[in-house]
Amino acid sequence: MEKIKYITLLTDFGNKDPYVAEIKGILFSSLSNINIVDLSHEISPQNIIEGALFLEQIWDYWQIPSVHIAVIDPGVGTERRIIIIHENQKFLICPDNGLATFILRTKHAEVRHVKYFNTLTQYISNTFHGRDIMAPIAIQLVKGGNWEDFGPSVDDWQVLNIPEAYKKDNNIYGEVIHIDRFGNAITNIRKEQIQDNLPIYAKIKNSFQKIPFSLSYGKVSVGQSVCLFGSGNRLEIAVNCSSAEKQLKIKIGTEVRLVLNKD
Amino acid sequence: MEKIKYITLLTDFGNKDPYVAEIKGILFSSLSNINIVDLSHEISPQNIIEGALFLEQIWDYWQIPSVHIAVIDPGVGTERRIIIIHENQKFLICPDNGLATFILRTKHAEVRHVKYFNTLTQYISNTFHGRDIMAPIAIQLVKGGNWEDFGPSVDDWQVLNIPEAYKKDNNIYGEVIHIDRFGNAITNIRKEQIQDNLPIYAKIKNSFQKIPFSLSYGKVSVGQSVCLFGSGNRLEIAVNCSSAEKQLKIKIGTEVRLVLNKD
Amino acid sequence: MEKIKYITLLTDFGNKDPYVAEIKGILFSSLSNINIVDLSHEISPQNIIEGALFLEQIWDYWQIPSVHIAVIDPGVGTERRIIIIHENQKFLICPDNGLATFILRTKHAEVRHVKYFNTLTQYISNTFHGRDIMAPIAIQLVKGGNWEDFGPSVDDWQVLNIPEAYKKDNNIYGEVIHIDRFGNAITNIRKEQIQDNLPIYAKIKNSFQKIPFSLSYGKVSVGQSVCLFGSGNRLEIAVNCSSAEKQLKIKIGTEVRLVLNKD
């Protein structure tokens, strides 16, 4: 395999505490000519689902030899395992808590349970395995370490129990699974679930309002609601130049029905 | 021209969603030895004025061959154009919605309407042109693509309608156009507008308080208000070690009068 | 000394204003092949203690030739000095306001008062020395400038007056000095202060609750409080999968007593 020149970081550490800067110090101090790329440190604290959706969405845009460290890790210091996932030219190092759910659902990836790695320090904390275990694993991989040496292949990884949208007659029933910075409500209804019948409008549970289906936010007037397939190919409900979350009082879990054209 | 080694990103995407990480994946996967620099992703959602002021302020500090992508793009998916601005060794790729207002006001820059570019994927979304159009344009430029091939030269770009401060007798009348993280209120009164007469104090509309002019925040006591020309050469109203926004109840649009010494 | 390839930035500038992007422009425009690493820009405005604790925590993880610029600088434009600290292969450039308190308490470092440096521009603002003075100093250092040329050695630097935890009988008395993104309350009680007697529980002043000592967050049930030595070897009070700050109503300054096992 080509030499790995990129390590990315995805965490729930935020940007005001020193945790990310400690990891960067360790990585830069051990590896020359490495690019460390912040994916996000603003995943909500301990929110594994948010992290898993983030990883799903970005995964295919990284088409280079790279190591991805994902630390949303409420179980740090307990018996939860640390795993490495190897897919194509990429490695993902993360706790075995469901973070890799969506990647492992769709990719032919191999997974190993990390049992052996070269520590950098004598002492490993019980509260910060991103720094004390996952960063050293990344360093070992970038230095050319054989990934089979980290531990046995496993197939019993943790999976998040995320509801799937389903089709019945000319409706698709789903729910909101993420709300982005713009207040766009992103659902579990995927573009592939639409086949011959075109979407007409969506309805939010307990609301009479028909939210028209369109191709872009700006196709309705400012302040009007609209639904469309967003950049991740999921149905999202938006308000042009405003927040659907606030204006339509949508939350994660809000049920959504997408009405399709009849035959 | 020297080889371009820097791409910067300025967006209103925030840091919790995967949008920026998708763009970074595409850029790193297509270009080796590129530096991707986050300028900010915290521009308020859809706030074109904030983005335009940001670009004005940073533009002259980048004196190297570089491509700058600015995505504050409420009109994505509508008929609004995408433009490239070429000034000195720099390119700015952005929607034609006023983001480049201040750069184009003061620089001898050439502007092209992007009609042709090498797509990276078969499908271009209607909601994320930063990823599907602007990133590919940047890649084409960095790979040495001729910038004249992107489309025709234009001179009818969109301009924001920002009020200008004006002088009358020994006063300069302006207003607050930005409030920074410290609560400093930055106005449209520029240092060049002062000539022979030195500033003495500022007044906020509907307030009797005289805010003394000084050279630095710390020249007044902690908790005292002060006005001065900030690092971008605009008059700003500040409170030493506190927030002028909160303490003086200033908002964007608050009218400010700067009183100059009489002859 | 080996060539310096890293400059890090620690500021209270936030990520929405153009200040950091101006500094990056200057650094990249003057230095080729430099890595600029964001440590944090989310230090609370003017909060020198927060910045000093951040620097303490990350310092030892950076074991490479590097220049660190720290700009939490409420006294900018007054008579406060700018200093350079040289420890091992690292330089820290910062205002002399206590930011380096913890580094200088434990390291054999040399400190110089900056009196001479190569300016990049004719004009130096009174409000942004990070850009107009500290960035040029960093450039001069990276270009191989002799650090003794910046000014005289000093030993009267400013020190923050931070309370120390103390031991009495089988108790250690301390207080909360930082609250992190997770709501973990980090105290001034350090692991080295425990010797033979193991910690049993902690108490917060004016509360009867005994917070059990453990080795990791996940060793208690979700929603239960716990105290432990965190990744920086300080006692912290946490709630598993929740916020100790909110649940236990802890603030910076809250007094904490750690009860040790009797002989």
Side-chain angles (χ1 to χ4, degrees):
Chain A
M1 204 175 92
E2 216 183 313
K3 195 165 165 39
I4 294 169
K5 294 198 305 181
Y6 301 89
I7 296 175
T8 78
L9 303 175
L10 176 69
T11 78
D12 61 351
F13 294 161
N15 285 302
K16 73 167 221 181
D17 295 304
Y19 308 127
V20 176
E22 294 175 42
I23 292 180
K24 288 181 180 174
I26 288 172
L27 296 175
F28 280 125
S29 298
S30 294
L31 300 167
S32 49
N33 297 316
I34 193 75
N35 293 283
I36 300 176
V37 184
D38 295 306
L39 297 189
S40 172
H41 304 293
E42 297 293 342
I43 299 298
S44 304
Q46 288 117 9
N47 195 323
I48 297 166
I49 295 176
E50 216 174 280
L53 288 166
F54 191 111
L55 284 171
E56 175 194 37
Q57 182 117 347
I58 62 106
W59 193 251
D60 285 344
Y61 294 104
W62 288 81
Q63 296 290 346
I64 31 171
S66 44
V67 174
H68 305 265
I69 300 176
V71 198
I72 295 103
D73 193 11
V76 61
T78 65
E79 296 303 307
R80 70 93 187 82
R81 305 182 294 189
I82 289 176
I83 54 177
I84 311 183
I85 291 147
H86 184 11
E87 192 268 330
N88 204 346
Q89 314 173 75
K90 291 175 284 187
F91 295 96
L92 171 62
I93 305 166
C94 62
D96 181 22
N97 60 12
L99 266 176
T101 295
F102 301 113
I103 290 173
L104 291 173
R105 184 181 288 170
T106 57
K107 307 288 171 193
H108 295 286
E110 213 183 326
V111 183
R112 286 184 184 272
H113 170 194
V114 177
K115 293 199 163 183
Y116 320 103
F117 69 99
N118 300 332
T119 51
L120 295 172
T121 49
Q122 282 196 295
Y123 169 74
I124 291 179
S125 76
N126 287 300
T127 58
F128 194 1
H129 286 181
R131 180 191 71 191
D132 297 338
I133 299 181
M134 296 184 232
I137 294 169
I139 290 167
Q140 195 173 332
L141 279 168
V142 172
K143 285 188 168 169
N146 189 337
W147 99 287
E148 295 172 357
D149 294 344
F150 287 101
S153 219
V154 293
D155 58 8
D156 60 342
W157 53 80
Q158 296 292 312
V159 171
L160 293 173
N161 188 9
I162 299 284
E164 299 259 19
Y166 62 94
K167 198 168 177 177
K168 196 178 161 189
D169 303 332
N170 64 327
N171 296 285
I172 301 183
Y173 294 87
E175 63 183 66
V176 172
I177 55 172
H178 180 64
I179 293 178
D180 77 6
R181 191 199 189 203
F182 299 95
N184 299 328
I186 294 151
T187 72
N188 60 348
I189 300 175
R190 296 189 61 88
K191 201 174 185 177
E192 305 91 82
Q193 294 183 287
I194 314 298
Q195 281 142 5
D196 301 332
N197 308 72
L198 289 177
I200 311 175
Y201 61 86
K203 270 193 165 182
I204 296 168
K205 200 172 182 184
N206 297 327
S207 157
F208 292 106
Q209 191 183 342
K210 290 181 180 181
I211 300 168
F213 184 83
S214 181
L215 292 176
S216 70
Y217 307 121
K219 287 280 165 66
V220 297
S221 309
V222 167
Q224 294 298 302
S225 56
V226 63
C227 68
L228 48 75
F229 286 106
S231 61
N233 289 324
R234 293 177 177 281
L235 186 79
E236 63 185 67
I237 296 170
V239 171
N240 188 15
C241 288
S242 184
S243 163
E245 178 188 24
K246 287 185 192 156
Q247 193 162 315
L248 304 174
K249 298 192 175 53
I250 297 178
K251 293 177 189 169
I252 287 175
T254 295
E255 293 175 38
V256 173
R257 177 164 63 98
L258 180 65
V259 180
L260 306 178
N261 207 349
K262 286 186 189 165
D263 299 312
Chain B
M1 204 176 92
E2 216 184 314
K3 195 164 166 38
I4 294 169
K5 293 198 305 181
Y6 301 89
I7 296 174
T8 78
L9 303 175
L10 176 69
T11 77
D12 61 352
F13 294 161
N15 285 302
K16 72 167 222 183
D17 294 305
Y19 308 127
V20 176
E22 294 174 42
I23 292 180
K24 288 181 180 174
I26 288 172
L27 296 175
F28 280 125
S29 298
S30 294
L31 300 167
S32 49
N33 297 317
I34 192 75
N35 293 283
I36 300 176
V37 183
D38 296 305
L39 297 189
S40 172
H41 304 293
E42 298 292 342
I43 299 298
S44 304
Q46 288 117 9
N47 195 323
I48 297 166
I49 295 176
E50 216 174 280
L53 288 167
F54 191 111
L55 284 171
E56 175 194 37
Q57 182 116 348
I58 63 107
W59 193 250
D60 285 344
Y61 294 103
W62 288 81
Q63 296 290 346
I64 31 171
S66 44
V67 174
H68 304 265
I69 300 176
V71 198
I72 295 103
D73 193 11
V76 62
T78 65
E79 295 304 307
R80 70 92 187 83
R81 305 182 293 189
I82 289 176
I83 54 177
I84 311 183
I85 291 147
H86 184 12
E87 192 268 329
N88 204 346
Q89 314 172 75
K90 291 175 284 188
F91 295 96
L92 171 62
I93 305 166
C94 63
D96 181 22
N97 60 12
L99 266 176
T101 295
F102 301 113
I103 290 172
L104 291 173
R105 184 181 289 171
T106 56
K107 307 288 171 193
H108 295 286
E110 213 183 327
V111 183
R112 286 183 184 272
H113 170 193
V114 178
K115 293 200 163 182
Y116 320 103
F117 69 99
N118 300 332
T119 51
L120 295 172
T121 49
Q122 281 196 295
Y123 169 73
I124 292 179
S125 76
N126 286 300
T127 57
F128 194 0
H129 286 181
R131 181 191 70 191
D132 297 339
I133 299 181
M134 296 184 232
I137 293 169
I139 291 167
Q140 196 173 332
L141 279 169
V142 172
K143 285 188 167 168
N146 188 337
W147 99 287
E148 294 172 357
D149 294 344
F150 287 100
S153 220
V154 293
D155 58 8
D156 60 342
W157 54 79
Q158 295 292 313
V159 171
L160 293 173
N161 188 9
I162 299 284
E164 299 259 19
Y166 62 94
K167 198 168 177 178
K168 196 178 161 189
D169 303 331
N170 64 327
N171 296 285
I172 301 183
Y173 295 86
E175 62 184 66
V176 172
I177 55 172
H178 180 65
I179 293 178
D180 77 6
R181 190 199 190 204
F182 299 95
N184 299 328
I186 293 151
T187 72
N188 60 349
I189 300 175
R190 297 188 61 88
K191 200 174 185 177
E192 306 91 82
Q193 294 183 286
I194 314 298
Q195 280 142 6
D196 302 332
N197 308 71
L198 289 177
I200 310 175
Y201 61 86
K203 270 193 165 181
I204 297 169
K205 200 172 182 185
N206 297 327
S207 158
F208 291 107
Q209 190 183 341
K210 290 181 180 181
I211 300 167
F213 184 83
S214 180
L215 292 176
S216 70
Y217 307 121
K219 287 281 165 65
V220 296
S221 309
V222 167
Q224 294 298 302
S225 55
V226 63
C227 69
L228 48 75
F229 286 107
S231 61
N233 289 323
R234 293 177 177 281
L235 186 79
E236 64 186 67
I237 296 170
V239 170
N240 188 16
C241 288
S242 184
S243 163
E245 178 188 24
K246 287 185 191 156
Q247 194 162 314
L248 304 173
K249 298 192 175 53
I250 297 178
K251 293 178 189 169
I252 287 175
T254 295
E255 293 176 38
V256 173
R257 177 164 63 98
L258 180 65
V259 180
L260 307 177
N261 206 348
K262 285 185 190 166
D263 298 313
Chain C
M1 205 176 91
E2 216 184 314
K3 195 164 166 39
I4 294 169
K5 294 198 305 181
Y6 301 89
I7 296 174
T8 78
L9 303 175
L10 176 69
T11 78
D12 61 351
F13 294 161
N15 285 302
K16 73 167 221 181
D17 295 304
Y19 308 127
V20 176
E22 294 174 43
I23 292 180
K24 288 181 180 174
I26 288 172
L27 296 174
F28 280 125
S29 298
S30 294
L31 299 167
S32 49
N33 297 317
I34 193 75
N35 293 283
I36 300 176
V37 184
D38 296 305
L39 297 189
S40 172
H41 304 293
E42 298 292 342
I43 299 298
S44 304
Q46 288 117 9
N47 195 324
I48 297 166
I49 295 177
E50 216 174 280
L53 288 167
F54 191 112
L55 284 171
E56 175 194 37
Q57 183 116 347
I58 62 107
W59 193 251
D60 285 344
Y61 294 103
W62 288 81
Q63 296 291 346
I64 31 172
S66 44
V67 174
H68 304 265
I69 300 176
V71 198
I72 295 103
D73 193 12
V76 61
T78 65
E79 296 304 307
R80 70 94 187 82
R81 305 182 294 189
I82 289 176
I83 54 176
I84 312 183
I85 291 147
H86 184 12
E87 192 268 329
N88 204 346
Q89 315 172 76
K90 291 176 284 188
F91 295 96
L92 171 62
I93 305 166
C94 62
D96 181 22
N97 60 12
L99 266 176
T101 295
F102 301 113
I103 290 173
L104 291 173
R105 184 181 289 171
T106 57
K107 307 288 171 192
H108 295 286
E110 213 183 325
V111 183
R112 286 183 185 272
H113 170 193
V114 178
K115 293 199 162 182
Y116 320 103
F117 68 99
N118 300 332
T119 51
L120 295 172
T121 49
Q122 282 196 295
Y123 169 73
I124 292 179
S125 76
N126 286 301
T127 57
F128 194 0
H129 286 181
R131 181 191 70 191
D132 297 339
I133 299 181
M134 296 184 232
I137 293 169
I139 291 167
Q140 195 172 333
L141 279 169
V142 172
K143 285 188 168 169
N146 189 338
W147 99 287
E148 294 172 357
D149 294 344
F150 288 100
S153 219
V154 293
D155 57 8
D156 60 343
W157 53 80
Q158 295 293 312
V159 171
L160 293 172
N161 188 9
I162 299 284
E164 299 259 18
Y166 62 94
K167 198 168 177 176
K168 196 177 161 189
D169 303 331
N170 64 327
N171 295 286
I172 301 183
Y173 294 87
E175 63 183 65
V176 172
I177 55 172
H178 180 65
I179 293 178
D180 77 6
R181 191 199 190 204
F182 299 94
N184 299 329
I186 293 151
T187 72
N188 60 348
I189 300 175
R190 296 189 61 88
K191 200 174 185 177
E192 305 91 83
Q193 294 183 287
I194 314 298
Q195 281 142 4
D196 302 332
N197 308 72
L198 289 177
I200 310 175
Y201 61 87
K203 270 193 165 182
I204 297 168
K205 200 172 181 184
N206 297 327
S207 157
F208 291 107
Q209 190 183 342
K210 290 181 181 181
I211 300 167
F213 184 83
S214 180
L215 293 176
S216 70
Y217 307 121
K219 287 281 166 66
V220 297
S221 309
V222 167
Q224 294 297 303
S225 56
V226 63
C227 68
L228 48 75
F229 286 106
S231 61
N233 289 324
R234 293 177 178 282
L235 186 79
E236 64 185 68
I237 295 170
V239 171
N240 187 15
C241 288
S242 184
S243 163
E245 178 188 24
K246 287 185 191 155
Q247 194 162 315
L248 304 174
K249 298 193 175 53
I250 297 178
K251 292 177 188 169
I252 288 174
T254 295
E255 294 176 38
V256 173
R257 177 164 63 98
L258 180 64
V259 180
L260 307 177
N261 206 348
K262 286 184 189 166
D263 299 312

